[in-house]
Amino acid sequence: MEKLQQGDRLPSITLKLIGGDTLTLPSEMSSRYLAVLFYRAHW
């Protein structure tokens, strides 16, 4: 997959949330703008 460039649309992504729920982006966005941060942690 290539990097997104300014003005590109976000592809459909399903994220697993803590607690077992899922979030599908961009269809479940409540705003036109979005920042997604990935934090790699080890517990």
Side-chain angles (χ1 to χ4, degrees):
M1 176 180 262
E2 294 184 28
K3 291 182 181 180
L4 294 176
Q5 301 298 318
Q6 184 174 348
D8 287 351
R9 293 190 176 265
L10 182 69
S12 181
I13 301 170
T14 300
L15 305 172
K16 293 182 182 179
L17 304 177
I18 296 173
D21 291 335
T22 60
L23 175 66
T24 303
L25 299 176
S27 64
E28 295 182 25
M29 289 176 32
S30 60
S31 173
R32 181 177 172 196
Y33 302 100
L34 174 70
V36 178
L37 303 175
F38 292 94
Y39 179 76
R40 184 178 175 183
H42 182 16
W43 287 275

